[in-house]
Amino acid sequence: MFTPARKKLLLAVLVLSFGVQTGLVYSDERSEPLSEAAREGRALWQAYACQTCHQFYGQGGFLGPDLTNAASRVDSTRLVSLLTVGSGQMPPLGFSDVESAAMAAFLREMDRPEIGRGELRMGTPGEGAGARAAFERAVEAAIEAAAGRGEAGGTGPARATDQDPAEVAAGFAAYRIRPCSACHFPFRDSPVGAPDLSLVAGSAGSLAPDSLDQVLAEGRPLMGMPPPVPPLDAADRAALTAFLRFLAENRAQLEAATEVLAADRRLDWGALPWWEFP
């Protein structure tokens, strides 16, 4: 049995331990606070319950795209369109210019690749990425390799056709600034029925060139695919078609590279902006 003296000693140890723990917690290095504009955007994010559908660093819902790195892949025109008139399953929010600017500031300050990337894209941009991030890194590397071979006058898997790497890169950029990845998954059909984009173009693709151009211009509303936003002009459609052909012709190599980049995922949990997550 504990004597009164030992009980007092035990209580003192418990109180001391609690005090030490409290000191350690509150002396941790804190993330930089948000700017005033970004705090206004955060208030909008919380008021509209955006986390119900969207994620930051793996925290949030799964219905909409991960917005961890939205600032670096969605241009201002597209963002304003999404926040005002919506797109697909996202309802129109009718944001004013001031509200759109505040949300843009919030997304910009939350986009911190030194911590991690969307879909728990853990580690550096070149390794340990989530499936979609790894896919993007693999495509970027393949386009760079194709451009290098073209400058050197060489050939190889990434230069199997006469496609211009610059046009392929432009098509990839057009793909990234639109919410294509919200429905289309890399190298497989998505749960909502969106097809594998690496199988739609090229000599063995599921769509003839004219049909593909029509889909890129008008979408397939009756099948659940809305018209692209922002709209694709003729040059954009040609570039995006070149990108889809590039995917088809290099599918095996890109799929293998994506699997390698998606392995061994890591995240700097200590640097996460936990002050953001309620």
Side-chain angles (χ1 to χ4, degrees):
M1 295 182 61
F2 286 107
T3 64
R6 288 185 177 180
K7 289 180 180 180
K8 292 179 181 179
L9 177 61
L10 178 59
L11 180 61
V13 170
L14 291 174
V15 171
L16 179 61
S17 298
F18 178 78
V20 171
Q21 180 189 27
T22 302
L24 291 174
V25 168
Y26 287 97
S27 64
D28 282 350
E29 183 179 350
R30 302 284 291 177
S31 301
E32 294 183 5
L34 292 173
S35 66
E36 182 177 354
R39 288 198 299 273
E40 294 174 359
R42 182 179 62 182
L44 290 168
W45 168 275
Q46 294 170 342
Y48 284 86
C50 302
Q51 71 275 9
T52 302
C53 297
H54 300 283
Q55 292 190 12
F56 276 130
Y57 301 100
Q59 303 290 321
F62 293 90
L63 183 61
D66 188 310
L67 298 184
T68 306
N69 308 110
S72 59
R73 71 172 188 270
V74 179
D75 66 10
S76 58
T77 301
R78 172 62 177 162
L79 179 61
V80 170
S81 175
L82 288 169
L83 295 174
T84 54
V85 301
S87 176
Q89 293 179 316
M90 178 170 175
L93 301 178
F95 273 27
S96 66
D97 290 344
V98 173
E99 290 173 324
S100 295
M103 184 61 75
F106 175 56
L107 294 175
R108 185 168 55 251
E109 294 186 26
M110 289 299 294
D111 185 0
R112 299 176 60 185
E114 74 276 10
I115 296 176
R117 292 184 174 270
E119 287 187 45
L120 293 183
R121 301 176 186 183
M122 305 170 182
T124 65
E127 64 179 9
R132 288 178 185 165
F135 167 70
E136 293 179 1
R137 303 291 84 74
V139 170
E140 289 173 347
I143 293 174
E144 291 177 2
R149 293 188 183 96
E151 293 174 357
T155 60
R159 287 287 291 166
T161 71
D162 293 329
Q163 292 181 80
D164 180 2
E167 185 176 35
V168 174
F172 182 44
Y175 162 85
R176 294 181 74 178
I177 67 171
R178 292 166 175 83
C180 306
S181 61
C183 295
H184 296 278
F185 288 12
F187 309 117
R188 64 185 178 92
D189 292 345
S190 74
V192 297
D196 178 351
L197 292 182
S198 66
L199 301 176
V200 301
S203 58
S206 60
L207 293 175
D210 290 345
S211 298
L212 176 58
D213 189 71
Q214 183 177 7
V215 170
L216 294 178
E218 304 172 5
R220 280 182 166 178
L222 296 179
M223 299 180 67
M225 177 179 171
V229 179
L232 294 161
D233 59 24
D236 290 332
R237 296 198 301 274
L240 192 48
T241 298
F243 167 62
L244 294 176
R245 287 176 55 203
F246 185 84
L247 284 184
E249 293 164 0
N250 299 279
R251 188 178 191 277
Q253 297 94 323
L254 289 170
E255 185 174 13
T258 297
E259 290 179 357
V260 170
L261 291 172
D264 190 26
R265 298 183 298 174
R266 294 183 301 278
L267 178 65
D268 184 359
W269 292 101
L272 273 177
W274 295 110
W275 39 262
E276 165 50 30
F277 307 118

